Amino acid sequence: MASTKRKIQIGSAWFQTKIKLRPQHRGIHHVTEEILGKIPELCEFSIGLCHIQILHTSASLALNENCDPDVRDDVEMMLNKIVPEGLAYRHSREGPDDMPAHVKACFLGSSLSIPITDGKLTLGKWQGIWLCEHRNDAGRRKAVITLTGCLRDPASSPLTPVSPIASTSS
């Protein structure tokens, strides 16, 4: 049985930013490093949660395999079999890939919440963040990232929280 570390944390801190992800072609893309590069504030948190919300209805986020790209290709293949183009969708004004994109986004979801431990996302060895792009020509995708938790105290141990700080960047 794994041991559980319990710490009483005093106070809380919040940080929020809106980011743009680079444009991707249709498919599933590993974007963990791109996201981490846009939130250097993460290292200031000793414990907490990172919430990522994509601001689009035809793309989604998922937490899955970060190593073998075949997994991403296989998931894309299965999504296309489950939700094919060419059905008699009522919503069709934006092209044949649009309505299937909305359905795929419903299946996978628009947000992730990932624990923060010692200034890092707490991911399994083979886990990474996926941007699931369901449109052929979507462009840059926007997301809001919210960090909440207890900050590190640089003058003390790395797990000692300091006073709450509210910070927001656009």
Side-chain angles (χ1 to χ4, degrees):
M1 186 161 129
S3 66
T4 301
K5 293 182 184 179
R6 293 185 180 238
K7 295 180 181 74
I8 297 175
Q9 303 290 334
I10 301 170
S12 63
W14 291 84
F15 171 82
Q16 188 174 79
T17 188
K18 187 183 284 186
I19 67 166
K20 290 182 180 178
L21 297 169
R22 68 183 184 276
Q24 298 283 1
H25 58 82
R26 182 175 175 166
I28 297 176
H29 309 277
H30 184 225
V31 295
T32 307
E33 295 305 319
E34 182 178 0
I35 289 172
L36 289 175
K38 295 177 186 279
I39 51 168
E41 298 80 4
L42 178 66
C43 69
E44 297 176 27
F45 286 80
S46 63
I47 189 170
L49 284 174
C50 172
H51 185 266
I52 307 165
Q53 171 78 32
I54 193 163
L55 301 176
H56 301 273
T57 60
S58 57
S60 52
L61 297 172
L63 192 63
N64 211 306
E65 172 74 44
N66 71 356
C67 185
D68 186 351
D70 288 343
V71 174
R72 296 190 305 269
D73 292 341
D74 288 344
V75 169
E76 173 69 9
M77 175 191 65
M78 289 308 302
L79 285 171
N80 290 330
K81 286 182 183 253
I82 295 167
V83 187
E85 290 181 18
L87 296 180
Y89 296 110
R90 292 180 66 181
H91 173 77
S92 60
R93 290 185 205 125
E94 297 177 63
D97 66 335
D98 187 54
M99 192 56 222
H102 293 299
V103 175
K104 292 172 188 177
C106 284
F107 284 165
L108 295 176
S110 61
S111 68
L112 298 172
S113 289
I114 304 169
I116 300 168
T117 305
D118 296 332
K120 298 176 182 171
L121 295 182
T122 309
L123 297 170
K125 181 176 182 178
W126 304 111
Q127 286 182 319
I129 301 168
W130 287 358
L131 167 64
C132 305
E133 181 52 71
H134 307 304
R135 297 293 311 267
N136 293 326
D137 298 306
R140 296 175 71 86
R141 295 299 193 167
K142 291 176 260 177
V144 171
I145 300 175
T146 304
L147 306 177
T148 184
C150 294
L151 295 178
R152 295 174 180 248
D153 180 354
S156 187
S157 76
L159 293 179
T160 303
V162 295
S163 299
I165 295 176
S167 177
T168 303
S169 88
S170 54

